[in-house]
Amino acid sequence: MSDRPLSLSDLNARKRDGRKLVMLTCYDALFARLLERAGIDLLLVGDSVNQVVAGRESTLSATLDQMIYHAASVRRGALHTPIVVDLPFLSYQVSIEEAVRNAGRVLAETDCHAVKLEGGAAMIPTVAALVDRGIPVIGHLGFTPQAVNLLGPRVQGRSASSAEQLRLDAQALANAGASAIVLELVPRALATEISSSLTIPTIGIGAGNGCDGQVLVLHDMLGLNDTFSPRFLKRYDEQAGRVIDAATRYATEVRRGEYPDDAHSFE
Ligand code: KIV
C-alpha cells in the first residue's frame, strides 16, 4: 500500500487490509497543520467544538454557520487530509430537502470531504438522499450526543433489544451508502461484532479495540480539557497543567519587570 494520503474512497480497502484508521477532532487551522504532519488519517470537525471551544453545555446549540467557520479553518490548515464535518442539530432532521441543502453548503463552502450525522433507522432516507447527490456521509450510532436529553451520556446497546437495534441500524446505514460509522459508547463485544459484519469501517470512541479505527476529541487526549475523564479516554499529554504553568511564569516575569528583557526588545 502506498503512503499517499488517504482519500474517502480508500476506506473500505483500508478495512480489508486490516490497517486501523486514525481520526481526531480538529477545529482550527493551526492544529490541522500539526495533525496532518503527525499523519492522522482523518480529521473530524465535530460539533463537540460547541462544548470544547465555545463552552456550551452540549452540542445542541451548534449552528451550521459555526460548523462551516471551523471546517473552513481546518481545511486551510490540512490540504491533504480527508476532513469530515458534523451536521449540527436540526440542520438535517427536519426534512431531506433541508439536509441536502445544508450538507451541500458544508461541502461547497469549506472544501471538506464528508458530513457526519447521528442516528439510525430514522435517518436512512436522508443518508441515501445525500449519497445519491454525491455527498459522502459518515454515520454515528450508540451514544449520539445530539440525543443526550433522551439517552444520557451512557453506554448504549447493553440490553438485547438495543443491541439488536444497533446491529440493524449499522447495516441499514451501510446499505444506504454511508462511508463509515462512528460507534460511541458501545460495549466492546458488540462493537467488534458489528465491525466484522460490515464492509464499511467503524470508528470507535468508547467502543473497544475491535473497531476498524478510533477517534478521540483532540483537546481531551492532549489533556487540555482536564475536567473530562471518562473511562475510555486515554490522555497522551497533560497540557492543561503546562499551559497554566507557562501562563503563570509569564505573569510572574511581567509583574517583576523581567519580561521583556534585552534579548526580546528592539534597539
Ligand atoms: O463531535 C464530536 O467530537 C464527535 C466525536 C465524539 C466522535 O462526534
Side-chain angles (χ1 to χ4, degrees):
M1 159 97 39
S2 82
D3 282 339
R4 76 173 166 76
L6 185 78
S7 114
L8 274 178
S9 54
D10 299 330
L11 292 183
N12 289 0
R14 275 287 285 265
K15 176 174 174 123
R16 281 195 304 276
D17 291 347
R19 293 175 69 200
K20 296 272 189 190
L21 289 162
V22 184
M23 181 186 240
L24 279 172
T25 65
C26 189
Y27 314 127
D28 61 49
L30 186 142
F31 271 122
R33 210 161 48 234
L34 299 178
L35 296 181
E36 186 162 90
R37 279 167 62 187
I40 299 304
D41 293 319
L42 295 155
L43 299 180
L44 170 64
V45 186
D47 56 359
S48 53
V49 68
N50 200 47
Q51 295 166 288
V52 175
V53 173
R56 298 295 298 262
E57 281 283 303
S58 74
T59 60
L60 296 182
S61 52
T63 67
L64 193 67
D65 286 340
Q66 184 185 356
M67 297 310 299
I68 288 174
Y69 169 82
H70 286 285
S73 305
V74 170
R75 182 72 169 100
R76 285 192 287 271
L79 295 178
H80 308 290
T81 305
I83 303 169
V84 180
V85 185
D86 264 343
L87 290 178
F89 183 56
L90 289 191
S91 69
Y92 61 95
Q93 295 95 333
V94 174
S95 70
I96 291 181
E97 195 179 317
E98 277 191 43
V100 171
R101 197 177 309 286
N102 289 331
R105 263 194 73 195
V106 169
L107 296 201
E109 294 180 32
T110 70
D111 283 335
C112 290
H113 308 94
V115 295
K116 176 165 83 57
L117 56 78
E118 299 181 6
M123 285 301 126
I124 299 307
T126 306
V127 172
L130 292 171
V131 174
D132 274 352
R133 285 157 184 79
I135 300 174
V137 178
I138 310 285
H140 187 154
L141 296 173
F143 170 64
T144 45
Q146 293 174 13
V148 64
N149 292 319
L150 196 65
L151 302 175
R154 272 188 290 276
V155 174
Q156 303 293 310
R158 282 207 156 124
S159 70
S161 63
S162 71
E164 184 55 13
Q165 191 58 55
L166 270 178
R167 290 185 195 98
L168 294 172
D169 285 347
Q171 193 56 63
L173 279 171
N175 293 346
S179 300
I181 302 175
V182 168
L183 293 177
E184 180 164 357
L185 299 187
V186 173
R188 178 170 47 188
L190 178 60
T192 305
E193 180 200 326
I194 291 173
S195 304
S196 333
S197 72
L198 301 175
T199 53
I200 60 169
T202 59
I203 303 178
I205 173 164
N209 62 5
C211 294
D212 304 300
Q214 297 293 326
V215 57
L216 282 176
V217 170
L218 177 67
H219 295 59
D220 297 341
M221 63 80 82
L222 290 178
L224 269 171
N225 181 10
D226 62 351
T227 57
F228 184 62
S229 308
R231 179 188 164 108
F232 68 80
L233 174 64
K234 179 168 176 185
R235 291 206 183 115
Y236 287 82
D237 204 345
E238 295 292 345
Q239 292 189 357
R242 299 206 288 148
V243 169
I244 293 167
D245 180 53
T248 306
R249 286 189 290 115
Y250 164 69
T252 304
E253 290 193 5
V254 170
R255 288 177 187 134
R256 286 184 183 155
E258 292 170 2
Y259 175 83
D261 56 10
D262 290 351
H264 296 93
S265 303
F266 300 101
E267 294 308 326

Short mmCIF file of all heavy atoms in Angstrom, two decimals, residues 144-167:
data_model
loop_
_atom_site.label_atom_id
_atom_site.label_comp_id
_atom_site.label_asym_id
_atom_site.label_seq_id
_atom_site.Cartn_x
_atom_site.Cartn_y
_atom_site.Cartn_z
N THR A 144 -25.37 9.08 20.96
CA THR A 144 -25.36 10.16 19.97
C THR A 144 -25.59 11.47 20.73
O THR A 144 -26.67 11.70 21.26
CB THR A 144 -26.45 9.92 18.91
OG1 THR A 144 -27.67 9.54 19.57
CG2 THR A 144 -26.05 8.81 17.95
N PRO A 145 -24.54 12.31 20.82
CA PRO A 145 -24.60 13.47 21.73
C PRO A 145 -25.77 14.42 21.47
O PRO A 145 -26.23 15.08 22.39
CB PRO A 145 -23.25 14.16 21.50
CG PRO A 145 -22.35 13.07 21.02
CD PRO A 145 -23.20 12.14 20.21
N GLN A 146 -26.27 14.47 20.23
CA GLN A 146 -27.41 15.37 19.98
C GLN A 146 -28.69 14.83 20.64
O GLN A 146 -29.68 15.55 20.74
CB GLN A 146 -27.61 15.58 18.48
CG GLN A 146 -26.46 16.36 17.84
CD GLN A 146 -26.55 16.47 16.34
OE1 GLN A 146 -27.58 16.17 15.73
NE2 GLN A 146 -25.46 16.89 15.71
N ALA A 147 -28.67 13.56 21.08
CA ALA A 147 -29.83 12.99 21.78
C ALA A 147 -29.54 12.83 23.26
O ALA A 147 -30.17 12.01 23.95
CB ALA A 147 -30.19 11.64 21.15
N VAL A 148 -28.61 13.64 23.79
CA VAL A 148 -28.21 13.48 25.20
C VAL A 148 -29.38 13.61 26.15
O VAL A 148 -29.45 12.95 27.19
CB VAL A 148 -27.07 14.47 25.57
CG1 VAL A 148 -27.50 15.92 25.48
CG2 VAL A 148 -26.50 14.16 26.95
N ASN A 149 -30.35 14.44 25.78
CA ASN A 149 -31.50 14.64 26.68
C ASN A 149 -32.40 13.42 26.74
O ASN A 149 -33.17 13.24 27.68
CB ASN A 149 -32.30 15.87 26.26
CG ASN A 149 -31.50 17.13 26.50
OD1 ASN A 149 -30.82 17.25 27.52
ND2 ASN A 149 -31.53 18.06 25.56
N LEU A 150 -32.30 12.58 25.73
CA LEU A 150 -33.09 11.35 25.69
C LEU A 150 -32.30 10.18 26.28
O LEU A 150 -32.83 9.36 27.02
CB LEU A 150 -33.43 11.07 24.22
CG LEU A 150 -34.53 10.09 23.89
CD1 LEU A 150 -35.86 10.64 24.38
CD2 LEU A 150 -34.58 9.91 22.38
N LEU A 151 -31.02 10.12 25.94
CA LEU A 151 -30.22 8.93 26.26
C LEU A 151 -29.42 9.05 27.55
O LEU A 151 -29.13 8.04 28.21
CB LEU A 151 -29.22 8.66 25.13
CG LEU A 151 -29.77 8.45 23.72
CD1 LEU A 151 -28.63 8.33 22.72
CD2 LEU A 151 -30.63 7.20 23.68
N GLY A 152 -29.00 10.28 27.89
CA GLY A 152 -27.99 10.43 28.94
C GLY A 152 -26.67 9.95 28.36
O GLY A 152 -26.66 9.18 27.40
N PRO A 153 -25.54 10.41 28.92
CA PRO A 153 -24.22 10.02 28.37
C PRO A 153 -23.85 8.61 28.81
O PRO A 153 -22.91 8.42 29.57
CB PRO A 153 -23.28 11.09 28.96
CG PRO A 153 -23.95 11.50 30.22
CD PRO A 153 -25.42 11.32 30.06
N ARG A 154 -24.60 7.64 28.35
CA ARG A 154 -24.44 6.26 28.84
C ARG A 154 -24.06 5.30 27.72
O ARG A 154 -24.39 5.53 26.56
CB ARG A 154 -25.77 5.78 29.43
CG ARG A 154 -25.95 6.11 30.89
CD ARG A 154 -27.20 5.43 31.43
NE ARG A 154 -28.41 6.03 30.89
CZ ARG A 154 -28.99 7.11 31.38
NH1 ARG A 154 -28.49 7.72 32.41
NH2 ARG A 154 -30.09 7.60 30.84
N VAL A 155 -23.43 4.20 28.11
CA VAL A 155 -23.13 3.13 27.15
C VAL A 155 -24.45 2.61 26.59
O VAL A 155 -25.40 2.36 27.33
CB VAL A 155 -22.33 2.01 27.86
CG1 VAL A 155 -22.13 0.83 26.92
CG2 VAL A 155 -20.99 2.54 28.36
N GLN A 156 -24.50 2.47 25.27
CA GLN A 156 -25.72 2.03 24.59
C GLN A 156 -25.54 0.58 24.11
O GLN A 156 -24.42 0.12 23.92
CB GLN A 156 -25.99 2.92 23.37
CG GLN A 156 -26.09 4.40 23.71
CD GLN A 156 -27.31 4.71 24.56
OE1 GLN A 156 -28.42 4.30 24.23
NE2 GLN A 156 -27.10 5.42 25.66
N GLY A 157 -26.67 -0.12 23.92
CA GLY A 157 -26.60 -1.47 23.36
C GLY A 157 -26.35 -2.52 24.40
O GLY A 157 -25.85 -3.61 24.10
N ARG A 158 -26.67 -2.24 25.66
CA ARG A 158 -26.43 -3.25 26.71
C ARG A 158 -27.57 -4.25 26.81
O ARG A 158 -27.36 -5.39 27.18
CB ARG A 158 -26.21 -2.55 28.05
CG ARG A 158 -24.80 -1.98 28.16
CD ARG A 158 -24.37 -1.90 29.61
NE ARG A 158 -22.92 -1.91 29.74
CZ ARG A 158 -22.23 -0.97 30.36
NH1 ARG A 158 -22.84 0.05 30.93
NH2 ARG A 158 -20.92 -1.06 30.44
N SER A 159 -28.79 -3.81 26.49
CA SER A 159 -29.90 -4.78 26.52
C SER A 159 -29.95 -5.49 25.17
O SER A 159 -29.44 -4.97 24.16
CB SER A 159 -31.22 -4.05 26.78
OG SER A 159 -31.58 -3.29 25.65
N ALA A 160 -30.60 -6.67 25.18
CA ALA A 160 -30.66 -7.45 23.93
C ALA A 160 -31.37 -6.65 22.85
O ALA A 160 -30.94 -6.63 21.69
CB ALA A 160 -31.40 -8.76 24.19
N SER A 161 -32.43 -5.91 23.23
CA SER A 161 -33.18 -5.20 22.18
C SER A 161 -32.39 -4.01 21.65
O SER A 161 -32.39 -3.74 20.44
CB SER A 161 -34.56 -4.76 22.71
OG SER A 161 -34.38 -3.84 23.76
N SER A 162 -31.68 -3.27 22.53
CA SER A 162 -30.94 -2.12 22.00
C SER A 162 -29.71 -2.59 21.21
O SER A 162 -29.30 -1.95 20.24
CB SER A 162 -30.60 -1.10 23.08
OG SER A 162 -29.63 -1.61 23.93
N ALA A 163 -29.15 -3.75 21.60
CA ALA A 163 -28.02 -4.29 20.82
C ALA A 163 -28.51 -4.66 19.42
O ALA A 163 -27.86 -4.36 18.40
CB ALA A 163 -27.43 -5.51 21.52
N GLU A 164 -29.70 -5.28 19.36
CA GLU A 164 -30.23 -5.69 18.05
C GLU A 164 -30.52 -4.46 17.20
O GLU A 164 -30.25 -4.44 15.99
CB GLU A 164 -31.48 -6.56 18.26
CG GLU A 164 -32.10 -7.13 17.00
CD GLU A 164 -31.11 -7.95 16.14
OE1 GLU A 164 -30.01 -8.29 16.60
OE2 GLU A 164 -31.45 -8.21 14.97
N GLN A 165 -31.06 -3.41 17.84
CA GLN A 165 -31.34 -2.18 17.10
C GLN A 165 -30.06 -1.59 16.52
O GLN A 165 -30.01 -1.15 15.36
CB GLN A 165 -32.04 -1.16 18.00
CG GLN A 165 -32.61 0.04 17.25
CD GLN A 165 -33.63 -0.37 16.19
OE1 GLN A 165 -34.59 -1.06 16.49
NE2 GLN A 165 -33.39 0.01 14.93
N LEU A 166 -28.98 -1.63 17.31
CA LEU A 166 -27.70 -1.10 16.82
C LEU A 166 -27.20 -1.90 15.61
O LEU A 166 -26.71 -1.32 14.63
CB LEU A 166 -26.65 -1.17 17.93
CG LEU A 166 -26.53 0.05 18.84
CD1 LEU A 166 -25.47 -0.18 19.91
CD2 LEU A 166 -26.13 1.26 17.99
N ARG A 167 -27.33 -3.23 15.71
CA ARG A 167 -26.90 -4.08 14.57
C ARG A 167 -27.68 -3.70 13.31
O ARG A 167 -27.12 -3.54 12.23
CB ARG A 167 -27.15 -5.56 14.86
CG ARG A 167 -26.26 -6.16 15.91
CD ARG A 167 -26.54 -7.67 16.03
NE ARG A 167 -25.96 -8.18 17.23
CZ ARG A 167 -26.63 -8.39 18.39
NH1 ARG A 167 -27.93 -8.17 18.47
NH2 ARG A 167 -26.00 -8.83 19.46
#
